[in-house]
Amino acid sequence: TTKKQQFPNLIQKDNHHPLYPPNSHATTALSFSRRRRFYFILFLIFVIPVCYVFTTSSSSSATSKKIRAIPIASTTSSCPPYGCPSYPLNYNDESAARYYKETVQRYIETNGLRGVFNSGTDVVSMTRDSNQPHPNQDRMVVIKPFWRLEKDYFLAAIFDGHGEFGHVVAEHAQKEAPRILSLNLDLIFEATPSSSLLTIANNKAVQEQVKRALIDTFRELDATAPPNYSIDGGCTGSLILKLDDAIFIANAGDSRSFIATVLIAKDNNNLLTVNVPYITRRDKPHLPDEKERIEKMGGKINTPKPPKPAALSRVIAWSPRRKENIALAMSRSIGDSIWTKIGVIPDPIVDVVYISDLKNKKEHDDDDDEKKKNDNVQLFAVVGSDGIFDARTKEFVAKFIADSLYDRKNGDYPILMAYKLIEKASPMKESFYRDDISFAAVQFG
């Protein structure tokens, strides 16, 4: 059967098409197929979007009063059993920044509502690249709810890389920490009566097991760090884990985590005072306990003489790859295998604070008792890299975030606050050194 017999009408119609030579039967048949695909593509590009816009615009008026979350950061499409990770928005992504700012502004104008956070929950986080010729080495993750998904548990963690391959080690920690920690918690509570979960603040034995689980998690992150990259690369680790009334904070390195309290007047929803009752320390080589351990294991510490601050101390180690001495600005870290041999350990310092204690603590002495009866205390947690805490105090960061979360009249939307806070922690001139700057805030309690 000839192609003319297969497509008689087609060939007759297109035989003298100006774009194709006469009697080119195969080519003419192919041209019809191409035109059909071309029209179909036009239909997809123009007709369907117009229909979608029409239907969404017609339905938006009926649902404009509903509270709808605007996704402001990426979350994984398929979540692991311990919860859905949320990752920070990147300040440097100009197209995303413009989109989110405009979207939030339109949302405010339309709905007049607050509470637009990263992933439809009470979390906001952002990172900004340094102005140095290397990749952003900060990695953050927030999971809320975490582990027991029916509970209001959460996990917030930051890992700030350093060295040539610090971003590789930090990304390893970011991805593996939630999984390893959830498995370690499973081992504890499989052998613990369910009633203990409700009284964890009063169960010292369970608290010690959770502390051990956090330490073991950091140690496993260190042991499983990519060996080819962790020789001259490592990262900090600062992590907040909320389990019922207890808040566990684990820290290794010079990133920081803090818990803030906010006193709010119930009658007019005004923010009164902000306090930071707990913040992790910076693990630096000059600290007496750190110095003793490092020197006992044969390490050398270079501490600058006054008037330079002792916090600029460094641990000195020989790099076989570089064939020279190199320095590390912290006494605890994940990775950094050449420093591990001389006392730089991955073990975090783990502390526990209690929500009930934080809410009942008399830190707001400026307010009389009668007024306090009408007030309530709210809590939020922050994890951040040294890029933000080297530039701004914990009080500044806490107040800046609290104004956004709780001041309904004058505060910025949380995501807009995040942009402004990153800018406040950045040097005024681009020619000045700027480190990677990252933070995440989680509202709870």
Side-chain angles (χ1 to χ4, degrees), residues 70-132:
I70 301 175
I72 307 293
S74 60
T75 55
T76 55
S77 56
S78 58
C79 298
Y82 50 76
C84 295
S86 174
Y87 302 107
L89 179 66
N90 195 315
Y91 177 99
N92 294 73
D93 188 343
E94 295 182 0
S95 60
R98 184 170 56 254
Y99 167 77
Y100 284 123
K101 287 180 179 179
E102 292 174 353
T103 302
V104 168
Q105 191 60 43
R106 288 196 301 270
Y107 186 80
I108 296 171
E109 293 171 356
T110 303
N111 298 279
L113 301 172
R114 299 185 56 82
V116 177
F117 290 79
N118 273 22
S119 55
T121 63
D122 38 7
V123 176
V124 60
S125 60
M126 184 169 288
T127 185
R128 186 182 190 184
D129 302 347
S130 75
N131 56 6
Q132 302 303 300

Side-chain angles (χ1 to χ4, degrees), residues 229-262:
Y229 298 101
S230 60
I231 297 175
D232 286 350
C235 70
T236 68
S238 198
L239 179 153
I240 298 177
L241 171 67
K242 177 188 177 292
L243 301 177
D244 293 318
D245 189 55
I247 306 171
F248 296 84
I249 305 101
N251 188 83
D254 58 4
S255 294
R256 308 196 84 174
S257 297
F258 70 70
I259 306 297
T261 62
V262 183

Side-chain angles (χ1 to χ4, degrees), residues 199-256:
T199 58
I200 189 171
N202 299 321
N203 193 324
K204 300 300 181 183
V206 173
Q207 289 179 25
E208 291 303 316
Q209 292 180 70
V210 174
K211 287 183 178 182
R212 174 52 57 183
L214 287 163
I215 294 173
D216 289 344
T217 298
F218 276 59
R219 287 180 175 178
E220 187 168 345
L221 291 174
D222 180 75
T224 58
N228 293 334
Y229 298 101
S230 60
I231 297 175
D232 286 350
C235 70
T236 68
S238 198
L239 179 153
I240 298 177
L241 171 67
K242 177 188 177 292
L243 301 177
D244 293 318
D245 189 55
I247 306 171
F248 296 84
I249 305 101
N251 188 83
D254 58 4
S255 294
R256 308 196 84 174

Side-chain angles (χ1 to χ4, degrees), residues 193-443:
S194 58
S195 59
S196 296
L197 289 174
L198 302 176
T199 58
I200 189 171
N202 299 321
N203 193 324
K204 300 300 181 183
V206 173
Q207 289 179 25
E208 291 303 316
Q209 292 180 70
V210 174
K211 287 183 178 182
R212 174 52 57 183
L214 287 163
I215 294 173
D216 289 344
T217 298
F218 276 59
R219 287 180 175 178
E220 187 168 345
L221 291 174
D222 180 75
T224 58
N228 293 334
Y229 298 101
S230 60
I231 297 175
D232 286 350
C235 70
T236 68
S238 198
L239 179 153
I240 298 177
L241 171 67
K242 177 188 177 292
L243 301 177
D244 293 318
D245 189 55
I247 306 171
F248 296 84
I249 305 101
N251 188 83
D254 58 4
S255 294
R256 308 196 84 174
S257 297
F258 70 70
I259 306 297
T261 62
V262 183
L263 186 64
I264 303 175
K266 286 184 178 180
D267 52 356
N268 56 10
N269 211 24
N270 283 342
L271 184 151
L272 298 179
T273 55
V274 182
N275 284 284
V276 182
Y278 176 87
I279 187 168
T280 57
R281 78 169 190 181
R282 298 173 185 260
D283 295 321
K284 292 294 185 178
H286 73 283
L287 298 174
D289 55 331
E290 305 296 279
K291 182 178 180 181
E292 180 181 2
R293 182 188 67 250
I294 292 170
E295 291 181 343
K296 188 176 181 179
M297 296 183 67
K300 295 182 179 180
I301 298 174
N302 182 10
T303 303
K305 297 179 180 180
K308 293 183 179 180
L312 296 177
S313 59
R314 300 288 188 268
V315 184
I316 309 300
W318 174 258
S319 171
R321 189 174 67 86
R322 298 186 186 182
K323 306 298 182 184
E324 62 178 350
N325 284 326
I326 54 178
L328 184 65
M330 62 201 69
S331 55
R332 296 174 187 244
S333 69
I334 298 167
D336 297 316
S337 58
I338 64 174
W339 278 279
T340 305
K341 302 174 183 177
I342 56 173
V344 176
I345 59 176
D347 299 24
I349 294 176
V350 184
D351 292 319
V352 186
V353 296
Y354 306 106
I355 295 177
S356 56
D357 290 346
L358 294 172
K359 287 195 170 186
N360 296 328
K361 198 168 184 178
K362 303 297 183 181
E363 291 189 335
H364 309 278
D365 296 330
D366 295 336
D367 304 293
D368 55 58
D369 292 336
E370 187 63 29
K371 187 177 181 179
K372 285 181 181 179
K373 293 179 182 179
N374 298 320
D375 297 334
N376 69 100
V377 177
Q378 300 293 321
L379 305 173
F380 66 92
V382 173
V383 295
S385 64
D386 62 339
I388 195 166
F389 289 112
D390 283 347
R392 295 293 178 177
T393 66
K394 64 182 186 296
E395 291 83 6
F396 180 93
V397 174
K399 182 65 166 60
F400 207 91
I401 295 174
D403 285 342
S404 172
L405 300 186
Y406 303 104
D407 189 341
R408 306 302 189 187
K409 295 181 179 179
N410 304 312
D412 284 316
Y413 244 68
I415 194 61
L416 302 182
M417 170 276 296
Y419 282 102
K420 292 183 179 181
L421 181 55
I422 293 290
E423 290 170 353
K424 292 287 186 181
S426 302
M428 296 181 62
K429 295 184 178 180
E430 185 64 25
S431 59
F432 295 166
Y433 172 78
R434 184 183 71 243
D435 196 1
D436 299 324
I437 303 173
S438 307
F439 83 96
V442 183
Q443 189 179 8

